Amino acid sequence: MNWIVLFLVAILSASDGAIQPTHFQHHNYNQLTSFMKQQAARCPSIMRLYDIGKSLQGRTLWVMEISDHPGNHEAGEPEMKYVGNMHGNEVTGREILLLLIEYFCSNYNIDSRVTRLINSVRMHIMPTMNPDGWEKAVEGDWSGTTGRYNSRGVDLNRDFPTLHDIVIRQGRYYFDYKARQQETTLVMNWMNAYPFVLSANFHGGALVASYPLDDTLSGQSVYSTTPDDDVFRSLAKTYSYAHPTMWKGQSCSRNSRSHQNKSFSNGITNGAAWYAISGGMQDVNYLTTNCFEITIETGCQKYPYGTSLQKEWLNHKNALLKYIEQIHRGIKGFILNSSNQGIYGASLVIQGRNKIIYATEYGDYWRLLLPGTYKATVSYPGYISVTKTVTVTSGATKQVNFTLSRQVYPTGQ
Ligand SMILES: *[C@@H]1O[C@H](CO)[C@@H](O)[C@H](O)[C@H]1NC(C)=O
Ligand SMILES: *[C@@H]1O[C@H](CO)[C@@H](O)[C@H](O)[C@H]1NC(C)=O
Ligand SMILES: *[C@@H]1O[C@H](CO)[C@@H](O)[C@H](O)[C@H]1NC(C)=O
């Protein structure tokens, strides 16, 4: 009797009913390109392969869009992105993102969790931001730098605008358009081309979920908080606790550099409290767009052997899915004028949080928040501002619409 029960338990825990991916191998640029094309061809109703341009050496920066209406922003539906391999020798992100694409393709209308995600979120997955660096990197690398940089030797995660570059004037962000690497510029254009709400980028050499800010004005490695520290800590913990060991926060004892052998409470850290960097990508997402991005360090070894990839996929699979599900928290809705048309660029501010969320061209907005009661104020020049008190629960996003009327100026004076 007992062995039957054990057998069933073993089967059920080994498989969640979904079809598991099979391509556990490293993919060089050509293999990655054909893999992405194959998946897009296999699942044309939910996938669209596009690119944001080419790396310096001419390799295409591919993105797979996954959605029930690929190619379209559906009004009210949030968008997210995953970016892998910006350091060319930190390769686990690249491979688990390819496996995630395969997993979504295989399980739409088969697995309810996958189906729900594809129906309710527009996802954009870029397995590699630095394909040129990858081609130089060496399998088995633990904590080296060969292949880390782009083909001009620049660290792409130091090439974005720094805290010193970004200035705020009348509630809008500006930064100097200094010359940047091609890969950086293309990603910045991409960040502004879609209404991303949530994002993560993938690194290696440690096992931790790190959240903004990475930068400090002083350059010292001290906690550098955003007004949304509670939201970021929760996002990071969602990832670390959905991974079998990241939440333990153990140090990578084999890595002798001090920042790599640190231990982390709950498997999360503020970026700058760990070690401050300027010009990182996650800060720019939060400081200049609506998007909340964190950085996932996928494991101690930067370039694991291909034989470890199945284990890495199993380690990260649930965390990858659970993280995307966090997009359905807080409040969302439309900011409309009195003829029910969206007000593009209207701003939404939560009292006590110095962070503006802007409405898209459709008038829709998303504001990630933890459960609690908040005052939300919506404004746009020429319109009368509206403030609403909203209560967020631990359930799905709360819909809150705002209708603004035009300011009427006294005449005849
Ligand atoms: C961690 O890094 C520090 C600084 O490089 C070094 O002194 C220490 O020995 C390392 N610890 C281990 C366990 O490797
Ligand atoms: C609402 O916005 C639309 C589109 O911008 C505009 O054509 C219309 O005049 C606006 N209506 C009012 C009452 O402001
Ligand atoms: C908010 O506005 C949208 C678009 O006009 C509408 O579909 C939705 O039902 C509204 N939601 C609420 C809670 O009023």
Side-chain angles (χ1 to χ4, degrees):
M1 237 327 246
N2 267 351
W3 69 268
I4 294 181
V5 173
L6 286 176
F7 180 71
L8 285 176
V9 166
I11 292 207
L12 289 173
S13 53
S15 133
D16 48 18
I19 296 167
Q20 301 306 315
T22 53
H23 293 88
F24 301 109
Q25 59 171 88
H26 289 295
H27 293 76
N28 67 22
Y29 172 71
N30 290 333
Q31 292 163 333
L32 178 144
T33 300
S34 49
F35 184 82
M36 300 277 275
K37 288 184 174 167
Q38 265 169 29
Q39 299 301 312
R42 192 158 78 91
C43 291
S45 64
I46 54 160
M47 295 202 174
R48 175 180 68 109
L49 182 60
Y50 70 97
D51 69 84
I52 62 163
K54 286 181 191 303
S55 69
L56 278 169
Q57 292 183 334
R59 296 187 177 92
T60 301
L61 299 175
W62 295 113
V63 180
M64 188 70 87
E65 179 196 333
I66 306 175
S67 154
D68 59 343
H69 292 91
N72 300 294
H73 173 75
E74 293 169 75
E77 188 169 298
E79 307 206 14
M80 63 77 60
K81 63 183 161 66
Y82 274 151
V83 179
N85 196 215
M86 82 190 286
H87 290 146
N89 63 332
E90 298 171 14
V91 305
T92 303
R94 172 177 171 129
E95 297 305 329
I96 60 179
L97 292 181
L98 289 175
L99 291 162
L100 184 66
I101 292 169
E102 182 184 347
Y103 187 75
F104 278 130
C105 182
S106 300
N107 287 298
Y108 186 58
N109 286 338
I110 289 181
D111 176 76
S112 58
R113 186 180 192 188
V114 164
T115 307
R116 201 160 48 235
L117 274 176
I118 294 175
N119 288 345
S120 64
V121 185
R122 188 184 189 197
M123 300 177 269
H124 302 256
I125 299 178
M126 176 188 281
T128 178
M129 175 177 164
N130 185 5
D132 299 352
W134 189 95
E135 299 292 320
K136 293 201 190 102
V138 187
E139 187 165 356
D141 181 6
W142 266 92
S143 52
T145 55
T146 305
R148 174 184 179 91
Y149 310 105
N150 79 345
S151 63
R152 292 223 176 103
V154 174
D155 187 329
L156 297 176
N157 207 31
R158 307 289 186 276
D159 194 42
F160 286 85
T162 72
L163 219 43
H164 287 281
D165 296 330
I166 300 170
V167 293
I168 304 171
R169 279 186 226 113
Q170 291 166 338
R172 307 264 158 177
Y173 293 101
Y174 298 89
F175 44 82
D176 297 336
Y177 280 88
K178 73 160 193 173
R180 300 182 196 285
Q181 297 302 303
Q182 187 161 308
E183 294 86 355
T184 314
T185 303
L186 291 170
V187 166
M188 283 174 62
N189 293 343
W190 181 47
M191 279 165 39
N192 289 301
Y194 292 88
F196 295 118
V197 176
L198 184 67
S199 174
N201 80 87
F202 294 85
H203 289 250
L207 184 62
V208 67
S210 152
Y211 54 89
L213 295 175
D214 270 330
D215 205 355
T216 56
L217 283 171
S218 66
Q220 305 288 313
S221 289
V222 290
Y223 204 109
S224 188
T225 188
T226 68
D228 284 302
D229 204 53
D230 56 346
V231 179
F232 275 119
R233 292 175 59 84
S234 165
L235 289 172
K237 267 163 95 170
T238 296
Y239 200 99
S240 70
Y241 277 85
H243 182 285
T245 54
M246 188 186 286
W247 60 274
K248 294 182 183 169
Q250 290 160 342
S251 67
C252 290
S253 53
R254 180 166 171 173
N255 296 344
S256 56
R257 290 162 70 200
S258 62
H259 71 268
Q260 291 176 335
N261 72 23
K262 236 187 111 153
S263 58
F264 304 97
S265 163
N266 294 309
I268 66 170
T269 185
N270 172 260
W274 182 16
Y275 63 105
I277 65 163
S278 288
M281 184 162 71
Q282 66 176 5
D283 287 4
V284 170
N285 272 271
Y286 180 77
L287 293 175
T288 73
T289 78
N290 290 335
C291 186
F292 286 52
E293 180 172 275
I294 69 169
T295 300
I296 304 299
E297 299 279 353
T298 56
C300 295
Q301 188 174 15
K302 290 188 176 182
Y303 198 146
Y305 290 99
T307 47
S308 313
L309 289 173
Q310 180 162 15
K311 182 162 162 276
E312 286 306 330
W313 160 251
L314 293 172
N315 284 341
H316 286 276
K317 179 184 108 180
N318 186 37
L320 288 166
L321 298 174
K322 201 155 187 185
Y323 186 73
I324 304 172
E325 287 163 353
Q326 304 312 302
I327 206 166
H328 296 305
R329 305 188 72 159
I331 59 172
K332 69 168 190 179
F334 290 82
I335 301 174
L336 306 163
N337 70 13
S338 48
S339 15
N340 261 339
Q341 300 295 306
I343 306 179
Y344 183 23
S347 64
L348 180 144
V349 176
I350 299 295
Q351 192 183 76
R353 283 171 197 250
N354 184 18
K355 164 70 185 163
I356 303 175
I357 298 290
Y358 294 101
T360 75
E361 59 187 297
Y362 307 90
D364 47 3
Y365 80 88
W366 300 264
R367 203 331 168 174
L368 300 178
L369 290 166
L370 299 187
T373 298
Y374 302 91
K375 272 199 165 119
T377 299
V378 167
S379 333
Y380 192 72
Y383 288 81
I384 300 165
S385 298
V386 171
T387 298
K388 288 190 179 185
T389 300
V390 294
T391 296
V392 174
T393 66
S394 57
T397 326
K398 178 152 193 158
Q399 268 240 3
V400 185
N401 290 345
F402 294 84
T403 302
L404 304 191
S405 20
R406 281 199 179 276
Q407 254 159 5
V408 181
Y409 297 98
T411 52
Q413 291 180 13

